[in-house]
Amino acid sequence: MNRRRCVNAAITVVCTLTVLVSPALTVGASAAPLPPGTPTAPAAPKKTLEEVRKEIEGLYRQAAAATDAYNLAEEQTKEQSAEIVRLAQMIVAGNEKVDALKAQAGAAARAQYRNGGLPDGAQFVLTDDPQLFLDNAGRFKEGQKATKDLLAEMVRTQAQLTVYAKDAGTNWTKLEANRVKQAAAKKDINDKIAAAKKLESTLAAEELERLRRLEEQEQYRQQTAWVNTGVLKGLNTTATPQGKRAVEFATSQIGKPYVWGAEGPDSYDCSGLTQRAWGTAGRNIPRTSQEQWRLLPKVDIKDMRPGDLIVYFKDASHIGMYVGNGAMVHAPRPGRDVTLAGAGSMEILGVVRPE
């Protein structure tokens, strides 16, 4: 009996030590069933629909910021690709020029060899005839200068080729770096959108409808607070001819879906819509909302007029076009279409004017 008690005690000690040194169970790992009567940890409280709305909104905001990073990397990739092509064309032209200069130099060298190592003009200079000497001395000097110029041009062209090749290499390195940025941003966008959609998929149809109403109520609340500041009083309601064309184009896209990275004609992201609208009006503007905010002239809200672009959030991750009467047109986010909305329905960073 004592021996059995000792064995049981030893087994208990071993089991206790095993539990102490084993790694902690991760979420989703299988655990042994708890003995009856063991108190269980309280279940995590269910999120309210408002909390879900804010979480989904945050995920789409992060996706929008990543979309801007993707669009910028794509734009830079296009520019660097075009620059590499331009440099390659210059390198080809430079090589052809070097070949032509070498052919000229070779012809001159062969002529000199045929004359016993003396240039053509040198034979005339060495003549015993004084008049012939005078007549051809100038020609000899010109020939020397031409040879020197030929060699200098060859050296200069070869130096340019070296610079072109170096620039092409630098641009290729930047191109590859931007492709890496694009891939990372693309993954980030897809991850954030997938997380938002997964969260939405947990909601029943009735909850999804309530969620949409909550979004609209929050936008209405912000728009009402903005209008109540008196910001629309005395606001210019007349667009310039160019601004009017931009507004007409943007509003004609209402109902088309938001797709990140899209520039039309069938779908848009927020800055793709504003860029295409102003491009149609004859004004080329940067591709991303952040670059549009950074590079376009800023105007005070009290001076805003239809056609101006309203930039939203502290990171300038969203942009829309003011169309008058306190409204703007924009491409909101994945799962939504290009639409009219209150210009003050989101946090305004500032206003820029493409004209």
Side-chain angles (χ1 to χ4, degrees):
M1 179 67 71
N2 289 338
R3 185 177 178 182
R4 184 179 297 172
R5 285 177 181 170
C6 289
V7 170
N8 288 339
I11 292 172
T12 302
V13 170
V14 170
C15 290
T16 303
L17 289 174
T18 302
V19 170
L20 289 174
V21 300
S22 294
L25 290 172
T26 58
V27 175
S30 299
L34 296 172
T38 304
T40 57
K46 188 177 179 181
K47 293 175 182 175
T48 67
L49 204 55
E50 175 62 12
E51 289 172 332
V52 171
R53 182 192 70 78
K54 287 181 178 178
E55 189 172 345
I56 289 173
E57 183 181 287
L59 286 166
Y60 280 125
R61 282 274 315 281
Q62 292 171 47
T67 298
D68 243 22
Y70 175 90
N71 288 338
L72 181 60
E74 183 180 46
E75 196 75 0
Q76 291 172 337
T77 296
K78 287 178 183 176
E79 290 172 2
Q80 281 145 7
S81 296
E83 181 64 12
I84 287 170
V85 169
R86 187 183 72 84
L87 288 166
Q89 291 170 340
M90 292 172 74
I91 288 170
V92 169
N95 279 322
E96 289 174 352
K97 186 176 180 180
V98 167
D99 289 343
L101 291 170
K102 283 181 179 177
Q104 283 182 259
R110 286 191 296 274
Q112 187 172 329
Y113 176 77
R114 286 194 300 270
N115 294 328
L118 291 174
D120 289 339
Q123 292 183 334
F124 294 108
V125 172
L126 297 176
T127 182
D128 293 332
D129 186 340
Q131 187 58 46
L132 190 60
F133 175 86
L134 291 173
D135 290 344
N136 290 286
R139 189 182 302 170
F140 175 60
K141 191 173 181 181
E142 288 174 4
Q144 281 185 313
K145 184 178 183 303
T147 302
K148 190 181 290 185
D149 290 346
L150 176 67
L151 293 173
E153 181 65 17
M154 191 183 298
V155 169
R156 186 162 52 249
T157 303
Q158 287 174 328
Q160 285 175 340
L161 285 173
T162 302
V163 172
Y164 295 157
K166 184 179 179 182
D167 288 348
T170 300
N171 276 280
W172 183 262
T173 301
K174 289 179 181 177
L175 179 67
E176 290 303 304
N178 277 310
R179 282 176 176 160
V180 170
K181 287 179 187 175
Q182 264 185 284
K186 184 176 181 178
K187 182 180 185 306
D188 197 17
I189 294 163
N190 287 330
D191 287 349
K192 295 296 186 295
I193 292 175
K197 287 183 175 178
K198 183 178 180 181
L199 197 53
E200 288 176 322
S201 70
T202 64
L203 303 175
E206 182 186 343
E207 288 177 313
L208 282 172
E209 183 55 35
R210 284 175 56 210
L211 180 68
R212 183 182 281 273
R213 287 201 301 271
L214 279 174
E215 288 178 2
E216 292 171 351
Q217 287 168 9
E218 177 59 20
Q219 291 167 5
Y220 178 78
R221 183 193 68 76
Q222 292 193 54
Q223 173 71 1
T224 302
W226 184 68
V227 171
N228 286 343
T229 63
V231 66
L232 298 181
K233 291 177 182 176
L235 207 59
N236 192 343
T237 59
T238 306
T240 64
Q242 200 174 21
K244 187 178 179 182
R245 288 198 298 274
V247 169
E248 286 172 350
F249 178 88
T251 52
S252 70
Q253 308 309 303
I254 289 173
K256 292 184 178 180
Y258 176 105
V259 173
W260 64 264
E263 304 171 8
D266 300 321
S267 57
Y268 297 90
D269 62 21
C270 65
S271 56
L273 176 64
T274 54
Q275 185 194 45
R276 179 58 65 90
W278 271 102
T280 302
R283 173 77 166 92
N284 292 323
I285 64 174
R287 173 62 180 90
T288 72
S289 60
Q290 292 174 346
E291 289 294 282
Q292 289 173 16
W293 168 246
R294 187 173 72 87
L295 296 174
L296 295 178
K298 295 176 177 58
V299 297
D300 198 291
I301 288 180
K302 65 181 178 59
D303 299 319
M304 184 169 61
R305 67 189 184 205
D308 288 346
L309 305 180
I310 306 177
V311 185
Y312 294 95
F313 309 117
K314 290 183 176 63
D315 59 358
S317 57
H318 192 68
I319 196 163
M321 179 181 291
Y322 184 65
V323 296
N325 298 319
M328 60 96 173
V329 62
H330 71 143
R333 66 164 177 82
R336 299 287 187 265
D337 298 331
V338 175
T339 186
L340 278 175
S345 59
M346 293 176 285
E347 176 194 348
I348 294 176
L349 176 62
V351 178
V352 293
R353 177 168 295 161
E355 293 178 275

